[in-house]
């Protein structure tokens, strides 16, 4: 609190220009001056207002000017994020991440297009097989040449990597990249979402017409998504839509199985042990979830060999938009 004595200021001015007059005053005048001084004292309270400027407009302008065909753009955008959002609120940082994420998605798509065209032109479709899956953890790259490993490191330093599906390599997002530049700035819900997405991207879930992870692990992903959606109903719509889409795909395959990971054994026509375990986990460990409410009657119909009930439930879940309709 800052105190300003207005009378004292006036007193000093008079002292400067009329010292003789003031010093001729007697004791009575001094007493009156003192009383007047106390009366005229004014207390002025001041507040320091810190203005928090949202840097998203500047960041959007910067990101929009970057080349979406060059991998270097991701690192430029990430470094600019750290610069502009150093003192930002988590909510503002979330805005910045969403701007970055659109660029990141475009870059992955464009780089993959280039990757495919380069393979066509050179005829070397297997050139990057030795570094495919390093991000996913099923390849250590020890058989790759120094040249190819250098390319892997360059990709990783900009948030990308090489994956493989059905014998063909492609460019993927190496989402470990996001930890360094974004995790300490963004909100807790967004960080949880990105951590889970990175985990799922590394594990993948299906390839070559079959599940890579167990049906139980697939069920746990569905439960995680259900809980996250319930806890964060106002989460960013573009990411929420993506999460709901993944959850719908997972639930579809949990109920139907896949060609190379069938729900029913091709020989015995009985539900496989892996799917039994998944259904039992959901109905016992997560009995109060929406997912359990979907699985329980379906599992009962399977155990009772009630094919008609199974079909009715599947049609119901499809009509309600809970799972996708199998077009095959």
């Amino acid at each position: 609190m800052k105190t300003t004595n207005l009378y004292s200021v006036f007193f000093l001015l008079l002292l400067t220009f009329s010292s003789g007059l003031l010093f001729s005053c007697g004791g009575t005048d001094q007493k009156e001056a003192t009383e007047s001084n106390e009366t005229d004292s004014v207390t002025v309270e001041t507040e320091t207002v810190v203005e928090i400027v949202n840097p998203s407009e500047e960041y959007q302008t910067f990101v929009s000017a970057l080349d979406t065909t060059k991998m270097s753009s991701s690192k430029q955008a990430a470094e600019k994020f750290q610069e502009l959002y150093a003192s930002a609120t988590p909510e503002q940082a979330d805005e910045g991440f969403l701007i970055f994420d659109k660029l990141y998605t475009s870059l992955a798509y464009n780089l993959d297009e280039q990757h495919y065209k380069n393979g066509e032109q050179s005829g070397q479709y297997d050139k990057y097989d030795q570094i495919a899956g390093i991000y996913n953890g099923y390849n250590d790259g020890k058989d790759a040449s120094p040249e190819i490993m250098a390319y892997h490191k360059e990709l990783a330093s900009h948030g990308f990597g090489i994956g493989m599906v059905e014998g063909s390599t492609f460019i993927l997002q190496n989402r470990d990249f996001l930890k360094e530049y974004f995790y300490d700035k963004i909100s807790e819900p967004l960080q949880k979402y990105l951590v889970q997405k990175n985990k799922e991207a590394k594990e993948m879930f299906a390839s070559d017409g079959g599940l890579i992870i167990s049906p139980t692990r697939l069920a746990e992903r569905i439960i995680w998504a259900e809980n996250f959606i319930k806890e964060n109903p106002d989460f960013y719509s573009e990411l929420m839509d993506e999460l709901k889409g993944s959850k719908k795909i997972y639930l579809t395959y949990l109920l139907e199985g896949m060609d190379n990971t069938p729900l029913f054994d091709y020989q015995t026509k009985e539900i496989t042990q892996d799917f039994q375990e998944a259904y039992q986990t959901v109905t016992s460990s997560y009995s109060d979830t929406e997912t359990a409410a979907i699985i329980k009657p379906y599992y009962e119909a399977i155990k009772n060999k009630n094919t008609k009930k199974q079909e009715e439930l599947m049609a119901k879940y499809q009509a309600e938009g809970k799972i996708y309709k199998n077009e095959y």
Side-chain angles (χ1 to χ4, degrees):
M1 181 171 65
K2 182 179 179 181
T3 303
T4 303
N5 190 323
L6 296 181
Y7 188 87
S8 296
V9 174
F10 181 63
F11 182 87
L12 289 173
L13 288 173
L14 289 177
L15 181 63
T16 303
F17 297 108
S18 307
S19 56
L21 175 62
L22 287 171
F23 281 106
S24 68
C25 295
T28 301
D29 292 336
Q30 291 175 2
K31 180 179 179 181
E32 290 175 354
T34 301
E35 292 173 351
S36 178
N37 178 39
E38 293 172 353
T39 304
D40 292 344
S41 295
V42 178
T43 300
V44 179
E45 294 186 1
T46 62
E47 289 186 10
T48 301
V49 178
V50 179
E51 182 180 1
I52 300 176
V53 179
N54 192 334
S56 293
E57 184 176 347
E58 181 180 350
Y59 189 55
Q60 179 67 73
T61 300
F62 177 84
V63 170
S64 296
L66 294 173
D67 190 335
T68 59
T69 65
K70 293 183 178 179
M71 75 168 77
S72 59
S73 293
S74 63
K75 197 165 188 176
Q76 289 176 322
E79 290 173 346
K80 190 67 173 179
F81 174 90
Q82 287 200 317
E83 174 191 329
L84 292 178
Y85 291 87
S87 302
T89 65
E91 292 74 20
Q92 290 172 343
D94 286 1
E95 287 181 18
F97 175 79
L98 293 177
I99 294 170
F100 171 84
D101 195 44
K102 290 179 181 178
L103 170 72
Y104 195 35
T105 300
S106 295
L107 282 168
Y109 177 82
N110 292 334
L111 291 174
D112 187 51
E113 287 284 297
Q114 293 174 14
H115 178 79
Y116 178 76
K117 290 177 181 177
N118 291 340
E120 275 193 322
Q121 291 172 0
S122 67
Q124 295 179 298
Y125 294 103
D126 60 350
K127 182 177 180 179
Y128 301 107
D129 287 8
Q130 290 81 13
I131 57 173
I134 292 179
Y135 164 68
N136 305 100
Y138 62 78
N139 184 6
D140 57 13
K142 64 180 181 180
D143 296 327
S145 67
E147 175 192 356
I148 298 300
M149 276 305 296
Y151 179 58
H152 160 73
K153 291 177 181 178
E154 183 183 13
L155 282 169
S157 69
H158 291 88
F160 301 99
I162 299 290
M164 180 181 287
V165 172
E166 298 184 3
S168 298
T169 58
F170 64 96
I171 298 292
L172 52 70
Q173 293 175 330
N174 183 333
R175 303 184 71 84
D176 286 339
F177 175 80
L178 303 179
K179 296 178 187 178
E180 179 181 353
Y181 293 99
F182 299 95
Y183 280 16
D184 64 336
K185 301 294 182 188
I186 57 178
S187 66
E188 184 179 354
L190 180 55
Q191 185 182 132
K192 285 181 178 179
Y193 170 83
L194 293 178
V195 168
Q196 179 69 15
K197 185 170 181 177
N198 188 27
K199 181 179 180 180
E200 293 184 10
K202 284 185 176 182
E203 291 179 348
M204 301 189 292
F205 88 96
S207 181
D208 296 330
L211 292 175
I212 294 175
I213 59 176
S214 69
T216 298
R217 184 73 193 96
L218 189 65
E220 289 170 347
R221 289 190 184 185
I222 298 167
I223 298 297
W224 185 91
E226 179 181 330
N227 290 335
F228 184 88
I229 292 167
K230 187 182 300 181
E231 293 166 5
N232 302 279
D234 299 321
F235 194 58
Y236 304 104
S237 59
E238 53 267 61
L239 301 183
M240 182 68 90
D241 289 344
E242 185 179 294
L243 180 59
K244 288 179 178 178
S246 296
K247 175 176 174 284
K248 190 173 178 178
I249 290 172
Y250 295 159
L251 183 57
T252 300
Y253 287 125
L254 185 63
L255 293 172
E256 291 186 349
M258 300 184 72
D259 289 344
N260 293 330
T261 312
L263 176 63
F264 299 104
D265 185 278
Y266 286 126
Q267 301 298 321
T268 66
K269 308 301 180 185
E270 299 288 338
I271 184 173
T272 65
Q273 182 66 33
D274 287 343
F275 278 95
Q276 282 191 61
E277 291 176 359
Y279 290 179
Q280 288 167 2
T281 297
V282 171
T283 54
S284 60
S285 300
Y286 307 101
S287 58
D288 59 343
T289 63
E290 178 189 2
T291 305
I294 292 171
I295 295 293
K296 187 174 181 179
Y298 186 67
Y299 186 33
E300 288 298 321
I302 290 173
K303 289 189 291 185
N304 294 330
K305 301 187 184 303
N306 189 339
T307 304
K308 183 180 178 181
K309 184 63 175 179
Q310 294 171 43
E311 293 174 350
E312 288 175 352
L313 287 169
M314 290 296 287
K316 176 176 180 290
Y317 299 153
Q318 289 167 359
E320 293 173 345
K322 291 183 170 64
I323 62 173
Y324 288 102
K325 186 175 181 179
N326 192 336
E327 300 293 341
Y328 298 102

